[in-house]
Amino acid sequence: MKKRYIALICAAVLIFVSAIWFMAVKGFFTDPANFMQLAKNKITKIYNDVTNTEPEIQEEIITTADGHKVLLDRPKGYSLSFPLDMSFDLSISPEQIKAYNDDMTVIVTREWAPYDDVEWYIDNYLNNYYLDEHYIQTNNITIHEHRRYEHNKAAAQLVSLSRSPESQDIERQNHYTYFYVLSKTGKQAFFRVMFKTKDYEKSAPVIEEIINSFEEIRLEGENVFKARYYPNVPSYWNSETKALWKQINSQKDFKWGIFVDGAYDKERNYQWLQDLEEKVDYEFDFALHYVNLGWEFPVKSMQKLYDDGKITELTLQISNWNNDDLFGKNINFDVYDGVLDEQIREFARGAKAFGHPFLFRLNNEMNSDWVNYSGVAALSDPEIFIENWRRIYNIFEEEGVDNAIWIFNPNAEDCPPAHWNSYISYYPGNEYVHMIGMTGYNTGEYYKELYHEKWRSFDEIYKEPYEKYMNVFSEFPFIITEFASSSIGGDKPAWIKDMFESIKKYDNIKMALWWSSADYDMRPETYKHIARPYFLDETDETTKAFREGVKKYK
């Protein structure tokens, strides 16, 4: 039977090649690469017809006779034609595909709107920042074009803008064009193509040509991740940091951490943290400390924790205080433009002076919509986050910081729930990350009517993101950098008991920190009402549940 198949294939190939030779002689083909690609496709089809097999269908780049590269993303159902000099990054194609050259970067995604009115969702969520007048003025934005039209009988929208940087020393792709087109076949589905260029006038015709080439095609196949992700541990770490890293990776005893609001105030002198430890009869292994860029490195506070036998999980947020004025000036652009390098260097020198190992969580929950450094607040461009992360990391390295263990910490859910905003779109690279952070809360039901919040168990919060992260980050140790349960809408002590049983199933999670504070309702009519009480010692019952659970866990 095999011989018969082989004979059929050989005969078919011989006939096909002869036909192609005749067509080439007659001038039907002018581009050798296109000729070979067509031959390859035809031979593959003949093989499939004979053997009745189906190869794995993914995305494909085809070079055409007229000097273009056509991206066929069959699993996402579209095709686009690009200039011949563009390269492609398919490493995270389940989320996005990138095309790029020296002058332009293009990010292509297939999206889904959580509302029936897709255009309303695009206008009021995805375009929310860069079309806001206050945001435009404070961040030196110029809108070149905003129009709605019909593309191949589907509703489309285009927004073009430029950002004027604070410094001209760094050449950036600061001109953006966002193209949206609604799917004609998928309910609530649409496509998003984001262009970044160095020269708006020069690139505008090229962008228009690419957009005009967009076609929706039949959905088939599956995208897969194509890169390997692993921690590239620095050889220059000091011996104490290397020892801690080894302990985290090989530890038998789980490490529990705590954050107590106000614990670092000089007047309180850690009394709140110590009081909580007495209540739960447990000395926590690590504690969380927040700082903003522009503050001094908290050497004294971290030394106090170190003297008490605790590791510090230090969180640096490049944001306004408490992430206020989200539509105001975004200082992440200043980092991106290189105008805050000296502030970063001063902070790095403080880290070096501290000397002891610490867990460094930079700009956590970046795939959210409630922080200044989030993607939606930075022109919906995760690469700004990546460049800022790498910039800060390199400055730390230049300043000789040999004691920082860097944590990449997305939010458990992508907000907005978009592929361009996926957690993996923000990943800085193996050279810049040592641990994977996880954050998810049982927020309770205070906002049940307003935000459709519901009571969720530990597994309901962490099972899906854990499995998602394990698909790509399994070689990293995981840390739950902050978590907690509200008491509104369910039985908090029972939740804590269940958490201690459930967390044992997640082998890659080596550490977890309870965030003992609260979220407040900031609406005028209910200003400062406690909306989500996360206090660990909220009641005697919650305190007892943790005290008993942590003893059994150890």
Side-chain angles (χ1 to χ4, degrees), residues 296-299 344-355 358 401 403:
E296 291 184 1
F297 189 90
V299 174
I344 298 168
R345 289 191 183 280
E346 188 64 29
F347 190 82
R349 292 174 191 133
K352 174 67 176 176
F354 173 61
F358 65 98
V401 179
N403 53 326

mmCIF file with all atom_site columns, all heavy atoms in Angstrom, residues 296-299 344-355 358 401 403:
data_model
loop_
_atom_site.group_PDB
_atom_site.id
_atom_site.type_symbol
_atom_site.label_atom_id
_atom_site.label_alt_id
_atom_site.label_comp_id
_atom_site.label_asym_id
_atom_site.label_entity_id
_atom_site.label_seq_id
_atom_site.pdbx_PDB_ins_code
_atom_site.Cartn_x
_atom_site.Cartn_y
_atom_site.Cartn_z
_atom_site.occupancy
_atom_site.B_iso_or_equiv
_atom_site.pdbx_formal_charge
_atom_site.auth_seq_id
_atom_site.auth_comp_id
_atom_site.auth_asym_id
_atom_site.auth_atom_id
_atom_site.pdbx_PDB_model_num
ATOM 1   N N   . GLU A 1 296 ? 13.052 57.455 48.037 1.00 0.00 ? 296 GLU A N   1
ATOM 2   C CA  . GLU A 1 296 ? 14.322 56.826 48.374 1.00 0.00 ? 296 GLU A CA  1
ATOM 3   C C   . GLU A 1 296 ? 14.129 55.318 48.512 1.00 0.00 ? 296 GLU A C   1
ATOM 4   O O   . GLU A 1 296 ? 13.055 54.850 48.868 1.00 0.00 ? 296 GLU A O   1
ATOM 5   C CB  . GLU A 1 296 ? 14.867 57.382 49.698 1.00 0.00 ? 296 GLU A CB  1
ATOM 6   C CG  . GLU A 1 296 ? 15.327 58.819 49.642 1.00 0.00 ? 296 GLU A CG  1
ATOM 7   C CD  . GLU A 1 296 ? 15.935 59.269 50.959 1.00 0.00 ? 296 GLU A CD  1
ATOM 8   O OE1 . GLU A 1 296 ? 15.997 58.437 51.897 1.00 0.00 ? 296 GLU A OE1 1
ATOM 9   O OE2 . GLU A 1 296 ? 16.355 60.427 51.053 1.00 0.00 ? 296 GLU A OE2 1
ATOM 10  N N   . PHE A 1 297 ? 15.175 54.575 48.220 1.00 0.00 ? 297 PHE A N   1
ATOM 11  C CA  . PHE A 1 297 ? 15.114 53.140 48.466 1.00 0.00 ? 297 PHE A CA  1
ATOM 12  C C   . PHE A 1 297 ? 14.976 52.926 49.976 1.00 0.00 ? 297 PHE A C   1
ATOM 13  O O   . PHE A 1 297 ? 15.735 53.483 50.766 1.00 0.00 ? 297 PHE A O   1
ATOM 14  C CB  . PHE A 1 297 ? 16.378 52.456 47.949 1.00 0.00 ? 297 PHE A CB  1
ATOM 15  C CG  . PHE A 1 297 ? 16.303 50.962 47.968 1.00 0.00 ? 297 PHE A CG  1
ATOM 16  C CD1 . PHE A 1 297 ? 15.812 50.279 46.865 1.00 0.00 ? 297 PHE A CD1 1
ATOM 17  C CD2 . PHE A 1 297 ? 16.703 50.237 49.077 1.00 0.00 ? 297 PHE A CD2 1
ATOM 18  C CE1 . PHE A 1 297 ? 15.740 48.886 46.877 1.00 0.00 ? 297 PHE A CE1 1
ATOM 19  C CE2 . PHE A 1 297 ? 16.630 48.853 49.100 1.00 0.00 ? 297 PHE A CE2 1
ATOM 20  C CZ  . PHE A 1 297 ? 16.143 48.170 47.989 1.00 0.00 ? 297 PHE A CZ  1
ATOM 21  N N   . PRO A 1 298 ? 14.009 52.103 50.429 1.00 0.00 ? 298 PRO A N   1
ATOM 22  C CA  . PRO A 1 298 ? 13.703 51.992 51.870 1.00 0.00 ? 298 PRO A CA  1
ATOM 23  C C   . PRO A 1 298 ? 14.686 51.094 52.621 1.00 0.00 ? 298 PRO A C   1
ATOM 24  O O   . PRO A 1 298 ? 14.310 50.030 53.151 1.00 0.00 ? 298 PRO A O   1
ATOM 25  C CB  . PRO A 1 298 ? 12.289 51.401 51.857 1.00 0.00 ? 298 PRO A CB  1
ATOM 26  C CG  . PRO A 1 298 ? 12.239 50.568 50.619 1.00 0.00 ? 298 PRO A CG  1
ATOM 27  C CD  . PRO A 1 298 ? 13.076 51.314 49.602 1.00 0.00 ? 298 PRO A CD  1
ATOM 28  N N   . VAL A 1 299 ? 15.922 51.520 52.688 1.00 0.00 ? 299 VAL A N   1
ATOM 29  C CA  . VAL A 1 299 ? 16.960 50.695 53.300 1.00 0.00 ? 299 VAL A CA  1
ATOM 30  C C   . VAL A 1 299 ? 16.640 50.393 54.765 1.00 0.00 ? 299 VAL A C   1
ATOM 31  O O   . VAL A 1 299 ? 16.736 49.239 55.222 1.00 0.00 ? 299 VAL A O   1
ATOM 32  C CB  . VAL A 1 299 ? 18.335 51.386 53.196 1.00 0.00 ? 299 VAL A CB  1
ATOM 33  C CG1 . VAL A 1 299 ? 19.388 50.595 53.972 1.00 0.00 ? 299 VAL A CG1 1
ATOM 34  C CG2 . VAL A 1 299 ? 18.751 51.530 51.743 1.00 0.00 ? 299 VAL A CG2 1
ATOM 35  N N   . ILE A 1 344 ? 16.214 56.629 38.612 1.00 0.00 ? 344 ILE A N   1
ATOM 36  C CA  . ILE A 1 344 ? 16.309 55.170 38.651 1.00 0.00 ? 344 ILE A CA  1
ATOM 37  C C   . ILE A 1 344 ? 17.679 54.746 39.177 1.00 0.00 ? 344 ILE A C   1
ATOM 38  O O   . ILE A 1 344 ? 17.796 53.819 39.988 1.00 0.00 ? 344 ILE A O   1
ATOM 39  C CB  . ILE A 1 344 ? 16.061 54.588 37.245 1.00 0.00 ? 344 ILE A CB  1
ATOM 40  C CG1 . ILE A 1 344 ? 14.643 54.931 36.771 1.00 0.00 ? 344 ILE A CG1 1
ATOM 41  C CG2 . ILE A 1 344 ? 16.263 53.077 37.242 1.00 0.00 ? 344 ILE A CG2 1
ATOM 42  C CD1 . ILE A 1 344 ? 14.401 54.664 35.304 1.00 0.00 ? 344 ILE A CD1 1
ATOM 43  N N   . ARG A 1 345 ? 18.731 55.457 38.748 1.00 0.00 ? 345 ARG A N   1
ATOM 44  C CA  . ARG A 1 345 ? 20.079 55.129 39.217 1.00 0.00 ? 345 ARG A CA  1
ATOM 45  C C   . ARG A 1 345 ? 20.209 55.345 40.722 1.00 0.00 ? 345 ARG A C   1
ATOM 46  O O   . ARG A 1 345 ? 20.830 54.541 41.428 1.00 0.00 ? 345 ARG A O   1
ATOM 47  C CB  . ARG A 1 345 ? 21.119 55.971 38.475 1.00 0.00 ? 345 ARG A CB  1
ATOM 48  C CG  . ARG A 1 345 ? 21.300 55.570 37.035 1.00 0.00 ? 345 ARG A CG  1
ATOM 49  C CD  . ARG A 1 345 ? 22.511 56.216 36.391 1.00 0.00 ? 345 ARG A CD  1
ATOM 50  N NE  . ARG A 1 345 ? 22.567 55.839 34.981 1.00 0.00 ? 345 ARG A NE  1
ATOM 51  C CZ  . ARG A 1 345 ? 23.030 54.678 34.544 1.00 0.00 ? 345 ARG A CZ  1
ATOM 52  N NH1 . ARG A 1 345 ? 23.508 53.798 35.418 1.00 0.00 ? 345 ARG A NH1 1
ATOM 53  N NH2 . ARG A 1 345 ? 23.040 54.395 33.256 1.00 0.00 ? 345 ARG A NH2 1
ATOM 54  N N   . GLU A 1 346 ? 19.621 56.422 41.218 1.00 0.00 ? 346 GLU A N   1
ATOM 55  C CA  . GLU A 1 346 ? 19.679 56.691 42.661 1.00 0.00 ? 346 GLU A CA  1
ATOM 56  C C   . GLU A 1 346 ? 18.978 55.582 43.439 1.00 0.00 ? 346 GLU A C   1
ATOM 57  O O   . GLU A 1 346 ? 19.452 55.134 44.486 1.00 0.00 ? 346 GLU A O   1
ATOM 58  C CB  . GLU A 1 346 ? 19.032 58.048 42.943 1.00 0.00 ? 346 GLU A CB  1
ATOM 59  C CG  . GLU A 1 346 ? 19.195 58.530 44.378 1.00 0.00 ? 346 GLU A CG  1
ATOM 60  C CD  . GLU A 1 346 ? 20.653 58.782 44.753 1.00 0.00 ? 346 GLU A CD  1
ATOM 61  O OE1 . GLU A 1 346 ? 21.457 59.113 43.856 1.00 0.00 ? 346 GLU A OE1 1
ATOM 62  O OE2 . GLU A 1 346 ? 20.982 58.628 45.955 1.00 0.00 ? 346 GLU A OE2 1
ATOM 63  N N   . PHE A 1 347 ? 17.842 55.138 42.932 1.00 0.00 ? 347 PHE A N   1
ATOM 64  C CA  . PHE A 1 347 ? 17.111 54.050 43.573 1.00 0.00 ? 347 PHE A CA  1
ATOM 65  C C   . PHE A 1 347 ? 17.935 52.763 43.539 1.00 0.00 ? 347 PHE A C   1
ATOM 66  O O   . PHE A 1 347 ? 18.004 52.018 44.526 1.00 0.00 ? 347 PHE A O   1
ATOM 67  C CB  . PHE A 1 347 ? 15.776 53.851 42.854 1.00 0.00 ? 347 PHE A CB  1
ATOM 68  C CG  . PHE A 1 347 ? 14.832 52.932 43.561 1.00 0.00 ? 347 PHE A CG  1
ATOM 69  C CD1 . PHE A 1 347 ? 14.049 53.391 44.610 1.00 0.00 ? 347 PHE A CD1 1
ATOM 70  C CD2 . PHE A 1 347 ? 14.713 51.607 43.176 1.00 0.00 ? 347 PHE A CD2 1
ATOM 71  C CE1 . PHE A 1 347 ? 13.169 52.540 45.267 1.00 0.00 ? 347 PHE A CE1 1
ATOM 72  C CE2 . PHE A 1 347 ? 13.835 50.747 43.824 1.00 0.00 ? 347 PHE A CE2 1
ATOM 73  C CZ  . PHE A 1 347 ? 13.062 51.216 44.869 1.00 0.00 ? 347 PHE A CZ  1
ATOM 74  N N   . ALA A 1 348 ? 18.595 52.504 42.408 1.00 0.00 ? 348 ALA A N   1
ATOM 75  C CA  . ALA A 1 348 ? 19.423 51.306 42.268 1.00 0.00 ? 348 ALA A CA  1
ATOM 76  C C   . ALA A 1 348 ? 20.602 51.339 43.244 1.00 0.00 ? 348 ALA A C   1
ATOM 77  O O   . ALA A 1 348 ? 20.982 50.307 43.815 1.00 0.00 ? 348 ALA A O   1
ATOM 78  C CB  . ALA A 1 348 ? 19.923 51.177 40.836 1.00 0.00 ? 348 ALA A CB  1
ATOM 79  N N   . ARG A 1 349 ? 21.153 52.517 43.455 1.00 0.00 ? 349 ARG A N   1
ATOM 80  C CA  . ARG A 1 349 ? 22.266 52.629 44.403 1.00 0.00 ? 349 ARG A CA  1
ATOM 81  C C   . ARG A 1 349 ? 21.811 52.293 45.822 1.00 0.00 ? 349 ARG A C   1
ATOM 82  O O   . ARG A 1 349 ? 22.560 51.710 46.609 1.00 0.00 ? 349 ARG A O   1
ATOM 83  C CB  . ARG A 1 349 ? 22.863 54.034 44.352 1.00 0.00 ? 349 ARG A CB  1
ATOM 84  C CG  . ARG A 1 349 ? 23.569 54.343 43.027 1.00 0.00 ? 349 ARG A CG  1
ATOM 85  C CD  . ARG A 1 349 ? 24.017 55.788 42.940 1.00 0.00 ? 349 ARG A CD  1
ATOM 86  N NE  . ARG A 1 349 ? 24.451 56.126 41.570 1.00 0.00 ? 349 ARG A NE  1
ATOM 87  C CZ  . ARG A 1 349 ? 24.085 57.199 40.913 1.00 0.00 ? 349 ARG A CZ  1
ATOM 88  N NH1 . ARG A 1 349 ? 23.279 58.102 41.499 1.00 0.00 ? 349 ARG A NH1 1
ATOM 89  N NH2 . ARG A 1 349 ? 24.505 57.420 39.683 1.00 0.00 ? 349 ARG A NH2 1
ATOM 90  N N   . GLY A 1 350 ? 20.572 52.654 46.133 1.00 0.00 ? 350 GLY A N   1
ATOM 91  C CA  . GLY A 1 350 ? 20.030 52.281 47.437 1.00 0.00 ? 350 GLY A CA  1
ATOM 92  C C   . GLY A 1 350 ? 19.891 50.777 47.579 1.00 0.00 ? 350 GLY A C   1
ATOM 93  O O   . GLY A 1 350 ? 20.159 50.212 48.652 1.00 0.00 ? 350 GLY A O   1
ATOM 94  N N   . ALA A 1 351 ? 19.455 50.124 46.496 1.00 0.00 ? 351 ALA A N   1
ATOM 95  C CA  . ALA A 1 351 ? 19.349 48.661 46.514 1.00 0.00 ? 351 ALA A CA  1
ATOM 96  C C   . ALA A 1 351 ? 20.713 48.017 46.729 1.00 0.00 ? 351 ALA A C   1
ATOM 97  O O   . ALA A 1 351 ? 20.849 47.043 47.484 1.00 0.00 ? 351 ALA A O   1
ATOM 98  C CB  . ALA A 1 351 ? 18.740 48.178 45.201 1.00 0.00 ? 351 ALA A CB  1
ATOM 99  N N   . LYS A 1 352 ? 21.714 48.572 46.064 1.00 0.00 ? 352 LYS A N   1
ATOM 100 C CA  . LYS A 1 352 ? 23.072 48.058 46.228 1.00 0.00 ? 352 LYS A CA  1
ATOM 101 C C   . LYS A 1 352 ? 23.558 48.267 47.656 1.00 0.00 ? 352 LYS A C   1
ATOM 102 O O   . LYS A 1 352 ? 24.196 47.379 48.245 1.00 0.00 ? 352 LYS A O   1
ATOM 103 C CB  . LYS A 1 352 ? 23.999 48.776 45.234 1.00 0.00 ? 352 LYS A CB  1
ATOM 104 C CG  . LYS A 1 352 ? 25.477 48.440 45.375 1.00 0.00 ? 352 LYS A CG  1
ATOM 105 C CD  . LYS A 1 352 ? 25.764 47.003 45.017 1.00 0.00 ? 352 LYS A CD  1
ATOM 106 C CE  . LYS A 1 352 ? 27.258 46.727 45.065 1.00 0.00 ? 352 LYS A CE  1
ATOM 107 N NZ  . LYS A 1 352 ? 27.578 45.296 44.818 1.00 0.00 ? 352 LYS A NZ  1
ATOM 108 N N   . ALA A 1 353 ? 23.245 49.422 48.228 1.00 0.00 ? 353 ALA A N   1
ATOM 109 C CA  . ALA A 1 353 ? 23.679 49.723 49.605 1.00 0.00 ? 353 ALA A CA  1
ATOM 110 C C   . ALA A 1 353 ? 23.026 48.790 50.611 1.00 0.00 ? 353 ALA A C   1
ATOM 111 O O   . ALA A 1 353 ? 23.643 48.414 51.615 1.00 0.00 ? 353 ALA A O   1
ATOM 112 C CB  . ALA A 1 353 ? 23.362 51.179 49.938 1.00 0.00 ? 353 ALA A CB  1
ATOM 113 N N   . PHE A 1 354 ? 21.771 48.404 50.364 1.00 0.00 ? 354 PHE A N   1
ATOM 114 C CA  . PHE A 1 354 ? 21.095 47.471 51.277 1.00 0.00 ? 354 PHE A CA  1
ATOM 115 C C   . PHE A 1 354 ? 21.838 46.151 51.336 1.00 0.00 ? 354 PHE A C   1
ATOM 116 O O   . PHE A 1 354 ? 22.052 45.585 52.416 1.00 0.00 ? 354 PHE A O   1
ATOM 117 C CB  . PHE A 1 354 ? 19.645 47.259 50.808 1.00 0.00 ? 354 PHE A CB  1
ATOM 118 C CG  . PHE A 1 354 ? 18.917 46.192 51.565 1.00 0.00 ? 354 PHE A CG  1
ATOM 119 C CD1 . PHE A 1 354 ? 18.712 46.295 52.933 1.00 0.00 ? 354 PHE A CD1 1
ATOM 120 C CD2 . PHE A 1 354 ? 18.435 45.059 50.904 1.00 0.00 ? 354 PHE A CD2 1
ATOM 121 C CE1 . PHE A 1 354 ? 18.038 45.286 53.632 1.00 0.00 ? 354 PHE A CE1 1
ATOM 122 C CE2 . PHE A 1 354 ? 17.768 44.067 51.584 1.00 0.00 ? 354 PHE A CE2 1
ATOM 123 C CZ  . PHE A 1 354 ? 17.572 44.177 52.951 1.00 0.00 ? 354 PHE A CZ  1
ATOM 124 N N   . GLY A 1 355 ? 22.255 45.641 50.211 1.00 0.00 ? 355 GLY A N   1
ATOM 125 C CA  . GLY A 1 355 ? 23.175 44.513 50.170 1.00 0.00 ? 355 GLY A CA  1
ATOM 126 C C   . GLY A 1 355 ? 22.569 43.136 50.281 1.00 0.00 ? 355 GLY A C   1
ATOM 127 O O   . GLY A 1 355 ? 23.106 42.178 49.723 1.00 0.00 ? 355 GLY A O   1
ATOM 128 N N   . PHE A 1 358 ? 16.526 40.619 48.090 1.00 0.00 ? 358 PHE A N   1
ATOM 129 C CA  . PHE A 1 358 ? 15.112 40.980 48.209 1.00 0.00 ? 358 PHE A CA  1
ATOM 130 C C   . PHE A 1 358 ? 14.396 40.588 46.930 1.00 0.00 ? 358 PHE A C   1
ATOM 131 O O   . PHE A 1 358 ? 15.013 40.450 45.858 1.00 0.00 ? 358 PHE A O   1
ATOM 132 C CB  . PHE A 1 358 ? 14.944 42.480 48.498 1.00 0.00 ? 358 PHE A CB  1
ATOM 133 C CG  . PHE A 1 358 ? 15.413 43.396 47.392 1.00 0.00 ? 358 PHE A CG  1
ATOM 134 C CD1 . PHE A 1 358 ? 14.522 43.935 46.470 1.00 0.00 ? 358 PHE A CD1 1
ATOM 135 C CD2 . PHE A 1 358 ? 16.759 43.750 47.279 1.00 0.00 ? 358 PHE A CD2 1
ATOM 136 C CE1 . PHE A 1 358 ? 14.946 44.788 45.461 1.00 0.00 ? 358 PHE A CE1 1
ATOM 137 C CE2 . PHE A 1 358 ? 17.202 44.602 46.276 1.00 0.00 ? 358 PHE A CE2 1
ATOM 138 C CZ  . PHE A 1 358 ? 16.292 45.124 45.358 1.00 0.00 ? 358 PHE A CZ  1
ATOM 139 N N   . VAL A 1 401 ? 23.892 46.246 41.209 1.00 0.00 ? 401 VAL A N   1
ATOM 140 C CA  . VAL A 1 401 ? 22.908 45.630 42.107 1.00 0.00 ? 401 VAL A CA  1
ATOM 141 C C   . VAL A 1 401 ? 22.968 44.118 41.912 1.00 0.00 ? 401 VAL A C   1
ATOM 142 O O   . VAL A 1 401 ? 22.611 43.601 40.850 1.00 0.00 ? 401 VAL A O   1
ATOM 143 C CB  . VAL A 1 401 ? 21.483 46.154 41.817 1.00 0.00 ? 401 VAL A CB  1
ATOM 144 C CG1 . VAL A 1 401 ? 20.476 45.474 42.736 1.00 0.00 ? 401 VAL A CG1 1
ATOM 145 C CG2 . VAL A 1 401 ? 21.429 47.667 41.984 1.00 0.00 ? 401 VAL A CG2 1
ATOM 146 N N   . ASN A 1 403 ? 21.641 41.847 44.261 1.00 0.00 ? 403 ASN A N   1
ATOM 147 C CA  . ASN A 1 403 ? 20.825 41.241 45.301 1.00 0.00 ? 403 ASN A CA  1
ATOM 148 C C   . ASN A 1 403 ? 19.324 41.311 45.021 1.00 0.00 ? 403 ASN A C   1
ATOM 149 O O   . ASN A 1 403 ? 18.514 41.110 45.916 1.00 0.00 ? 403 ASN A O   1
ATOM 150 C CB  . ASN A 1 403 ? 21.124 41.915 46.650 1.00 0.00 ? 403 ASN A CB  1
ATOM 151 C CG  . ASN A 1 403 ? 21.006 43.430 46.602 1.00 0.00 ? 403 ASN A CG  1
ATOM 152 O OD1 . ASN A 1 403 ? 21.313 44.057 45.600 1.00 0.00 ? 403 ASN A OD1 1
ATOM 153 N ND2 . ASN A 1 403 ? 20.561 44.026 47.694 1.00 0.00 ? 403 ASN A ND2 1
#
